[in-house]
Amino acid sequence: MVRRQDIYRWKGKNVMFETITSMMLTYAVTALWLIVGTAAAGLPYVKGIFQRKVWRTLLLWISYIGLALALLWFILMISQWVRNGWWFVEGIVKTILPIMLIGYVPLVLYTLPVLRRLRVSTADVSSSDSMVTTTDPRLLIPIYAAALASGIAAFHTIFSQPTLPGLLETVLMITLYLFVLVVPSYIVIRRYQAIMKGTFTVAPLWKRLLKFALAGLTTAIVAIGVVAFQAWSDFHASKLPEASDMMNHRWLDEGGGTPTMMTGHQNHADHANMVEVAKLTGDISSPADIHYELVAQKREMTLASGAKIEAWTYNGEVAPELRARQGEMVEVKLMNRDIDKGVTIHWHGYNVPNAMDGVPGMTQNVVNPGESFTYKFRAEQAGTYWFHSHQQAAEQVRNGLFGSFIVEPSEETASYDEEVTLINHNWNTDQGEKTAFKDQDRIQKKQVKPGKTVLLRLINANNQSQKYLLQGSEYKITSIDGTPLRQPDRLSDQTAFRLAAGGRYDVTFTMPNHPVLLKLGDSTDMEGPSVVFYGNLPPDPISFKAESSLFDPSQYGKPADSELTSVTRFDREFRMVLGNRLGFYNGKMNYLWTINGEVYPHTPTLVVKEGEKIKTTFINKSLSEHPMHLHGHQMTVLKKNGKRVQTPWVTDTLNVNPDEMYEVAFIADNPGMWMDHCHILDHAAVGMTLHLMYDHVMPSFEAGVRSGNMPE
């Protein structure tokens, strides 16, 4: 087990190293060709046989190095294609590779042979012949073309990843590339023509440098103009509509399945058997078995360290815990006291009826100050869940509008002597950013008698994945995202585990006769929150060892008991390529996180029919992890990086790391309109969101500034 996990960890680092290396290569090659271009421009003016030979030799060898690095970049692209699949290089092959070929083929065919001949020439030629040879446009323009092509490749690796480009986008990029080359090419050709006509005179060095600088500046102005025009178009296209029903009617993706009621962009409101989202409440005729009231309000709180936070709370409490028993009818009344832009409650990972999902503009209207909304649903699923506001969630969850939701099974299959719920979060305080379990940002100590069994319910309410260390006892991970694992194995206390943003693990261990230490973060970071379980006296000082392996759910326990693991043909198949680019979102410059090259509301609406078996492929070609969260459904993980996982597992928040690809499946058994988004909420806030739509469901609400419904 440890050996497999070590291999897995090494592969992840190796793939990321490959990606970073390819990025660095494009920047290095660009710099080298700029050096070569600058030197080549001055080559005609070098005096003396020896100096010319040295200069030409240096130019040739720098060109060889540049070409070798470009070839290495190309090999890395092929390697990524072979190792990860077509979709990781598709955008580069369609847009960047043609430009690289335009820049490099003339360089190889003409420029390098000329430089070689100049270098090995045994006799000096006349000044006029040397001037003609070294100012030939066929020698110089390919160097500038290679530098520009490499620069474009470098820019796109970080700032504008091409994803699913069409033919028009490819042609446009090539056209703009050639357009930027016009200025340096014009200057080189004019000088060459003057030399051929005998009208060229060698200007003083300062004047040549000035002309060279002006040429570079003019080229830069042209390039900036092209970028500015594109930015102007993106700025206007990025403005969010004042009102929207949250469906992208222009891009309905039916996943290659049979036609739906929306095929051909029909007006779905014309169908008599359609149902509105607001009516998808489920059967709530029975009286509530358990009732809660949550008042959203602002309050100053103090963490255990003394750091103060201006928290947005429910009932004035940080991360309150709601509990129910499986089968009970749950009723939660949400009231808003003073959150200006309104609030909602989304039951993260809990498959409530669509009207109870808490997404403003999709399943309800936002609850403004002085208003209330009552959520009512039957607690069908047992396990560890959490809830949070979905109104401008990046801000509201960050400020504290979240809590835990624990549903105990109707029939206990396992008993625990101690149960501890730990929900971690990053707080902005008067002492800087602090990480805490609820409001505990220091070491907590809990006494447990040896031999007692302990259940830890771990919830990551942070905006990034978090690593946990549990040392001093073997342990089991018994549940992922509320779903019990089958026959979980014992894990060594030197095995760390990582929890996705929004994810949950249930962890169990038997208390030994010595302390057990739970820590959030790295072993060397003693400032992070931790819990010490002890029998008699707590240890002092507390120390953690570096882990030797990382938990991998794809190689743990027995496969999930799911009919989806044996399906050979799905009713619909969707593909979500996760990327990034620099651009505008709602008129503001941002680093955008994209799905299939687009940001909401231009991402596709996925259309399904009730009862269908659906497969989705996540492909992360961006520079960040993305915990993908589908509302209202649970996903069964089938494949990772093109290979079937050893133990498929069920999740609602799947962390997809850079250069990873997952295939997941779910059954369309919960009709409605559902969000599917990255649960790094800052990513969702700038567009990494799309929606799953059942074909017989109609919108009931609108999102946008007109209604005040601002879902993230």
Side-chain angles (χ1 to χ4, degrees), residues 463-495:
N463 230 12
Q464 296 285 342
S465 65
Q466 296 291 304
K467 185 171 71 176
Y468 297 75
L469 304 173
L470 182 63
Q471 297 184 354
S473 173
E474 291 184 330
Y475 64 94
K476 294 181 180 181
I477 294 177
T478 57
S479 177
I480 293 178
D481 290 351
T483 300
L485 299 182
R486 299 178 65 208
Q487 300 181 32
D489 306 320
R490 291 188 181 277
L491 295 167
S492 162
D493 70 346
Q494 291 302 296
T495 301

Short mmCIF file of all heavy atoms in Angstrom, two decimals, residues 463-495:
data_model
loop_
_atom_site.label_atom_id
_atom_site.label_comp_id
_atom_site.label_asym_id
_atom_site.label_seq_id
_atom_site.Cartn_x
_atom_site.Cartn_y
_atom_site.Cartn_z
N ASN A 463 -10.66 27.29 1.24
CA ASN A 463 -10.72 27.54 -0.20
C ASN A 463 -9.64 26.79 -0.97
O ASN A 463 -9.47 27.03 -2.16
CB ASN A 463 -10.58 29.05 -0.47
CG ASN A 463 -11.67 29.55 -1.39
OD1 ASN A 463 -12.64 28.86 -1.66
ND2 ASN A 463 -11.51 30.76 -1.89
N GLN A 464 -8.90 25.91 -0.30
CA GLN A 464 -7.90 25.07 -0.92
C GLN A 464 -7.94 23.71 -0.25
O GLN A 464 -8.47 23.57 0.87
CB GLN A 464 -6.49 25.67 -0.77
CG GLN A 464 -6.29 27.00 -1.47
CD GLN A 464 -6.14 26.87 -2.97
OE1 GLN A 464 -5.87 25.78 -3.47
NE2 GLN A 464 -6.30 27.96 -3.70
N SER A 465 -7.37 22.71 -0.91
CA SER A 465 -7.26 21.40 -0.26
C SER A 465 -6.34 21.52 0.95
O SER A 465 -5.46 22.40 1.00
CB SER A 465 -6.73 20.35 -1.24
OG SER A 465 -5.40 20.65 -1.63
N GLN A 466 -6.54 20.65 1.93
CA GLN A 466 -5.77 20.71 3.17
C GLN A 466 -5.20 19.33 3.49
O GLN A 466 -5.88 18.31 3.31
CB GLN A 466 -6.65 21.16 4.33
CG GLN A 466 -7.19 22.58 4.18
CD GLN A 466 -6.10 23.63 4.28
OE1 GLN A 466 -5.38 23.71 5.26
NE2 GLN A 466 -6.00 24.46 3.26
N LYS A 467 -3.96 19.33 3.98
CA LYS A 467 -3.33 18.08 4.39
C LYS A 467 -3.49 17.90 5.89
O LYS A 467 -3.37 18.84 6.66
CB LYS A 467 -1.85 18.07 4.01
CG LYS A 467 -1.17 16.74 4.31
CD LYS A 467 0.24 16.68 3.73
CE LYS A 467 1.20 17.56 4.47
NZ LYS A 467 2.58 17.43 3.98
N TYR A 468 -3.76 16.62 6.28
CA TYR A 468 -3.93 16.27 7.69
C TYR A 468 -2.91 15.19 8.07
O TYR A 468 -2.61 14.30 7.26
CB TYR A 468 -5.33 15.71 7.96
CG TYR A 468 -6.47 16.68 7.73
CD1 TYR A 468 -6.87 17.00 6.43
CD2 TYR A 468 -7.14 17.25 8.79
CE1 TYR A 468 -7.93 17.88 6.22
CE2 TYR A 468 -8.20 18.12 8.59
CZ TYR A 468 -8.58 18.43 7.30
OH TYR A 468 -9.62 19.30 7.10
N LEU A 469 -2.43 15.27 9.29
CA LEU A 469 -1.57 14.24 9.87
C LEU A 469 -2.26 13.68 11.11
O LEU A 469 -2.73 14.44 11.96
CB LEU A 469 -0.21 14.82 10.26
CG LEU A 469 0.60 15.55 9.18
CD1 LEU A 469 1.82 16.21 9.80
CD2 LEU A 469 1.02 14.59 8.08
N LEU A 470 -2.35 12.35 11.21
CA LEU A 470 -2.86 11.70 12.41
C LEU A 470 -1.80 10.71 12.86
O LEU A 470 -1.58 9.69 12.20
CB LEU A 470 -4.19 10.98 12.13
CG LEU A 470 -4.83 10.30 13.34
CD1 LEU A 470 -5.21 11.32 14.41
CD2 LEU A 470 -6.05 9.49 12.92
N GLN A 471 -1.13 11.02 13.96
CA GLN A 471 0.02 10.23 14.38
C GLN A 471 -0.15 9.74 15.83
O GLN A 471 -0.76 10.41 16.65
CB GLN A 471 1.30 11.05 14.24
CG GLN A 471 1.57 11.43 12.78
CD GLN A 471 2.87 12.17 12.58
OE1 GLN A 471 3.57 12.52 13.52
NE2 GLN A 471 3.21 12.40 11.32
N GLY A 472 0.40 8.55 16.06
CA GLY A 472 0.29 7.93 17.38
C GLY A 472 -0.61 6.73 17.39
O GLY A 472 -0.68 5.99 18.38
N SER A 473 -1.31 6.48 16.26
CA SER A 473 -2.20 5.32 16.17
C SER A 473 -2.48 5.02 14.70
O SER A 473 -2.57 5.93 13.87
CB SER A 473 -3.51 5.58 16.90
OG SER A 473 -4.43 4.53 16.68
N GLU A 474 -2.62 3.73 14.39
CA GLU A 474 -3.18 3.38 13.09
C GLU A 474 -4.62 3.89 13.03
O GLU A 474 -5.27 4.08 14.06
CB GLU A 474 -3.16 1.86 12.89
CG GLU A 474 -1.77 1.27 12.74
CD GLU A 474 -1.83 -0.22 12.45
OE1 GLU A 474 -2.80 -0.87 12.90
OE2 GLU A 474 -0.93 -0.72 11.77
N TYR A 475 -5.11 4.10 11.83
CA TYR A 475 -6.47 4.62 11.71
C TYR A 475 -7.11 4.13 10.42
O TYR A 475 -6.44 3.57 9.54
CB TYR A 475 -6.47 6.15 11.76
CG TYR A 475 -5.75 6.81 10.60
CD1 TYR A 475 -6.45 7.21 9.45
CD2 TYR A 475 -4.37 7.06 10.64
CE1 TYR A 475 -5.80 7.83 8.40
CE2 TYR A 475 -3.72 7.67 9.59
CZ TYR A 475 -4.44 8.06 8.47
OH TYR A 475 -3.79 8.66 7.42
N LYS A 476 -8.40 4.36 10.30
CA LYS A 476 -9.14 4.03 9.09
C LYS A 476 -9.90 5.27 8.61
O LYS A 476 -10.39 6.05 9.43
CB LYS A 476 -10.17 2.92 9.34
CG LYS A 476 -9.58 1.55 9.67
CD LYS A 476 -10.71 0.55 9.87
CE LYS A 476 -10.17 -0.85 10.22
NZ LYS A 476 -11.28 -1.82 10.39
N ILE A 477 -9.98 5.43 7.30
CA ILE A 477 -10.89 6.42 6.72
C ILE A 477 -12.14 5.64 6.34
O ILE A 477 -12.11 4.80 5.44
CB ILE A 477 -10.25 7.11 5.51
CG1 ILE A 477 -9.06 7.96 5.99
CG2 ILE A 477 -11.27 7.99 4.78
CD1 ILE A 477 -8.30 8.65 4.88
N THR A 478 -13.22 5.89 7.06
CA THR A 478 -14.42 5.05 6.94
C THR A 478 -15.47 5.64 6.02
O THR A 478 -16.41 4.94 5.63
CB THR A 478 -15.03 4.80 8.32
OG1 THR A 478 -15.32 6.06 8.94
CG2 THR A 478 -14.06 4.02 9.20
N SER A 479 -15.33 6.92 5.69
CA SER A 479 -16.34 7.56 4.85
C SER A 479 -15.71 8.72 4.09
O SER A 479 -14.87 9.44 4.63
CB SER A 479 -17.50 8.07 5.72
OG SER A 479 -18.45 8.76 4.93
N ILE A 480 -16.11 8.89 2.84
CA ILE A 480 -15.70 10.03 2.02
C ILE A 480 -16.96 10.76 1.58
O ILE A 480 -17.86 10.17 0.98
CB ILE A 480 -14.88 9.59 0.79
CG1 ILE A 480 -13.53 9.01 1.23
CG2 ILE A 480 -14.65 10.76 -0.16
CD1 ILE A 480 -12.67 8.51 0.08
N ASP A 481 -17.03 12.03 1.89
CA ASP A 481 -18.17 12.88 1.50
C ASP A 481 -19.51 12.27 1.91
O ASP A 481 -20.49 12.31 1.15
CB ASP A 481 -18.14 13.16 0.00
CG ASP A 481 -17.01 14.09 -0.39
OD1 ASP A 481 -16.36 14.64 0.51
OD2 ASP A 481 -16.76 14.25 -1.60
N GLY A 482 -19.55 11.68 3.10
CA GLY A 482 -20.79 11.14 3.63
C GLY A 482 -21.11 9.73 3.23
O GLY A 482 -22.04 9.12 3.77
N THR A 483 -20.36 9.16 2.28
CA THR A 483 -20.62 7.80 1.81
C THR A 483 -19.64 6.82 2.46
O THR A 483 -18.43 6.98 2.31
CB THR A 483 -20.48 7.70 0.28
OG1 THR A 483 -21.42 8.59 -0.33
CG2 THR A 483 -20.76 6.28 -0.21
N PRO A 484 -20.15 5.81 3.19
CA PRO A 484 -19.24 4.85 3.84
C PRO A 484 -18.40 4.07 2.82
O PRO A 484 -18.87 3.74 1.73
CB PRO A 484 -20.21 3.91 4.58
CG PRO A 484 -21.47 4.68 4.73
CD PRO A 484 -21.56 5.55 3.51
N LEU A 485 -17.16 3.82 3.19
CA LEU A 485 -16.28 3.00 2.36
C LEU A 485 -16.43 1.54 2.75
O LEU A 485 -16.70 1.21 3.91
CB LEU A 485 -14.82 3.44 2.54
CG LEU A 485 -14.51 4.89 2.14
CD1 LEU A 485 -13.02 5.18 2.33
CD2 LEU A 485 -14.91 5.17 0.70
N ARG A 486 -16.24 0.66 1.80
CA ARG A 486 -16.39 -0.78 2.05
C ARG A 486 -15.07 -1.38 2.48
O ARG A 486 -14.05 -1.23 1.80
CB ARG A 486 -16.90 -1.47 0.78
CG ARG A 486 -18.26 -0.98 0.29
CD ARG A 486 -18.65 -1.68 -0.99
NE ARG A 486 -18.83 -3.12 -0.78
CZ ARG A 486 -18.65 -4.04 -1.71
NH1 ARG A 486 -18.23 -3.70 -2.91
NH2 ARG A 486 -18.85 -5.32 -1.44
N GLN A 487 -15.08 -2.03 3.62
CA GLN A 487 -13.93 -2.73 4.17
C GLN A 487 -12.65 -1.88 4.11
O GLN A 487 -11.66 -2.25 3.48
CB GLN A 487 -13.71 -4.06 3.42
CG GLN A 487 -14.89 -5.01 3.50
CD GLN A 487 -14.63 -6.31 2.77
OE1 GLN A 487 -13.49 -6.78 2.70
NE2 GLN A 487 -15.69 -6.90 2.23
N PRO A 488 -12.68 -0.72 4.77
CA PRO A 488 -11.48 0.14 4.75
C PRO A 488 -10.31 -0.52 5.45
O PRO A 488 -10.47 -1.18 6.48
CB PRO A 488 -11.95 1.39 5.49
CG PRO A 488 -13.06 0.92 6.37
CD PRO A 488 -13.76 -0.16 5.60
N ASP A 489 -9.12 -0.35 4.89
CA ASP A 489 -7.90 -0.92 5.47
C ASP A 489 -7.37 0.00 6.58
O ASP A 489 -7.69 1.19 6.64
CB ASP A 489 -6.81 -1.06 4.39
CG ASP A 489 -7.30 -1.84 3.18
OD1 ASP A 489 -8.02 -2.82 3.38
OD2 ASP A 489 -6.95 -1.45 2.05
N ARG A 490 -6.53 -0.58 7.43
CA ARG A 490 -5.82 0.24 8.42
C ARG A 490 -4.69 1.00 7.72
O ARG A 490 -4.00 0.46 6.86
CB ARG A 490 -5.25 -0.64 9.53
CG ARG A 490 -6.32 -1.24 10.43
CD ARG A 490 -5.68 -1.95 11.62
NE ARG A 490 -6.70 -2.54 12.47
CZ ARG A 490 -7.39 -1.88 13.41
NH1 ARG A 490 -7.14 -0.58 13.59
NH2 ARG A 490 -8.29 -2.48 14.14
N LEU A 491 -4.53 2.24 8.11
CA LEU A 491 -3.48 3.08 7.56
C LEU A 491 -2.45 3.38 8.64
O LEU A 491 -2.78 3.58 9.81
CB LEU A 491 -4.07 4.40 7.05
CG LEU A 491 -5.03 4.28 5.86
CD1 LEU A 491 -5.78 5.58 5.65
CD2 LEU A 491 -4.29 3.89 4.60
N SER A 492 -1.19 3.41 8.23
CA SER A 492 -0.10 3.74 9.14
C SER A 492 -0.22 5.19 9.61
O SER A 492 -0.72 6.06 8.87
CB SER A 492 1.24 3.52 8.44
OG SER A 492 2.28 4.20 9.11
N ASP A 493 0.27 5.46 10.81
CA ASP A 493 0.23 6.83 11.30
C ASP A 493 1.24 7.73 10.58
O ASP A 493 1.29 8.93 10.85
CB ASP A 493 0.43 6.90 12.81
CG ASP A 493 1.84 6.53 13.24
OD1 ASP A 493 2.60 5.98 12.42
OD2 ASP A 493 2.19 6.79 14.41
N GLN A 494 2.00 7.16 9.67
CA GLN A 494 2.89 7.96 8.82
C GLN A 494 2.28 8.22 7.45
O GLN A 494 2.95 8.70 6.53
CB GLN A 494 4.25 7.27 8.67
CG GLN A 494 5.05 7.23 9.96
CD GLN A 494 5.31 8.62 10.51
OE1 GLN A 494 5.98 9.44 9.90
NE2 GLN A 494 4.76 8.91 11.69
N THR A 495 0.99 7.89 7.30
CA THR A 495 0.26 8.18 6.07
C THR A 495 -0.57 9.44 6.28
O THR A 495 -1.48 9.46 7.11
CB THR A 495 -0.66 7.01 5.69
OG1 THR A 495 0.12 5.83 5.51
CG2 THR A 495 -1.41 7.32 4.40
#
